[in-house]
Amino acid sequence: MRTILFYFAKLLKKIQIAAIENSNIHPSSVVCSQSQLFNTNVGRYTYIGNGCSLIEVEIGMFCSIADGVIIGGGSHPLDWVSTSPVFYKGINILKTNFAIHEYDPFKITKINNDVWIGRNAIIRSGITIETGAIVGMGAVVTKDIGPYEVWAGNPAKLIRKRFNDDTIKHLLESKWWLWDDEKLREKSGLFNDVNTFLKKEKKQ
């Protein structure tokens, strides 16, 4: 009976499909159930977990985004008399505009290639997360993150770099995420050994 209930719950979850508007998802990528994407572009072989919310996001290739992640969203003017959207131009949830001052509440958030974002992380709009970075689960990211850096905490802080600077430089130069599927299959046996991978690439 428990097994039946388990699979029934899994089925119900899948029935709650993702809501995707004004977005481009590469055919090789997957957006899981209950996720909402608005004005978002997703590169090849990237997955977005269940129950995520992404607004105005550019996502690269081979990214792994876990369940419950929030990326982007509206901002509010901090140096005005009021932060309320009723005082600037555009449609808002309150359906009221006392003024039409110019203000753009949405900034593009950029997630580059091969980025792993842990469960329930929150990424502020306008942030850039560079290639190879890792964001820990539950992290609240308010600053840009460099290539192959590991960040965690609230607010998120740099924990360490995944590799030394020389290794990071050569990984970025390899641009392996741009390889076609055939080359990826050919080289995939080296992907569990960074040093051997880079030695082989340097010889070519």
Side-chain angles (χ1 to χ4, degrees):
M1 185 65 179
R2 283 184 180 178
T3 302
I4 294 170
L5 287 173
F6 172 78
Y7 284 108
F8 181 68
K10 294 275 281 186
L11 178 62
L12 277 179
K13 197 171 187 180
K14 285 189 176 293
I15 289 171
Q16 295 174 336
I17 60 174
I20 301 171
E21 184 180 350
N22 249 13
S23 299
N24 294 306
I25 315 298
H26 192 277
S28 65
S29 293
V30 173
V31 178
C32 295
S33 64
Q34 299 174 296
S35 285
Q36 300 177 25
L37 277 67
F38 180 75
N39 281 358
T40 290
N41 296 315
V42 179
R44 62 199 278 251
Y45 293 110
T46 285
Y47 75 83
I48 296 165
N50 299 289
C52 294
S53 175
L54 283 70
I55 300 173
E56 302 275 358
V57 187
E58 294 286 336
I59 303 175
M61 297 169 269
F62 299 92
C63 291
S64 304
I65 298 176
D67 295 351
V69 169
I70 298 172
I71 305 176
S75 63
H76 296 260
L78 302 183
D79 55 354
W80 290 13
V81 173
S82 172
T83 59
S84 174
V86 301
F87 296 106
Y88 53 80
K89 189 177 180 179
I91 298 168
N92 62 68
I93 194 170
L94 299 167
K95 299 179 181 175
T96 302
N97 294 91
F98 290 115
I100 52 169
H101 298 299
E102 291 290 339
Y103 180 76
D104 185 3
F106 295 104
K107 297 176 182 176
I108 297 292
T109 306
K110 187 160 187 180
I111 312 296
N112 281 312
N113 307 293
D114 196 36
V115 171
W116 172 23
I117 301 177
R119 188 183 185 108
N120 295 329
I122 299 173
I123 316 295
R124 195 188 73 185
S125 63
I127 292 295
T128 296
I129 299 179
E130 299 287 359
T131 292
I134 294 174
V135 176
M137 64 180 183
V140 177
V141 179
T142 61
K143 297 178 181 177
D144 292 347
I145 294 179
Y148 292 93
E149 292 181 352
V150 180
W151 284 56
N154 179 8
K157 295 179 181 178
L158 174 64
I159 305 301
R160 64 181 177 88
K161 292 186 178 183
R162 290 175 59 192
F163 309 108
N164 63 47
D165 289 343
D166 191 55
T167 299
I168 289 171
K169 175 177 176 287
H170 288 108
L171 280 170
L172 292 171
E173 287 173 351
S174 77
K175 295 184 179 177
W176 62 262
W177 46 89
L178 297 177
W179 295 351
D180 60 29
D181 287 11
E182 184 179 349
K183 187 170 182 180
L184 284 168
R185 286 192 184 93
E186 178 191 336
K187 303 281 188 177
S188 62
L190 302 172
F191 270 55
N192 65 338
D193 187 332
V194 172
N195 292 328
T196 303
F197 171 84
L198 291 178
K199 281 178 186 175
K200 296 274 188 182
E201 286 306 298
K202 285 178 186 176
K203 289 178 182 178
Q204 295 181 5

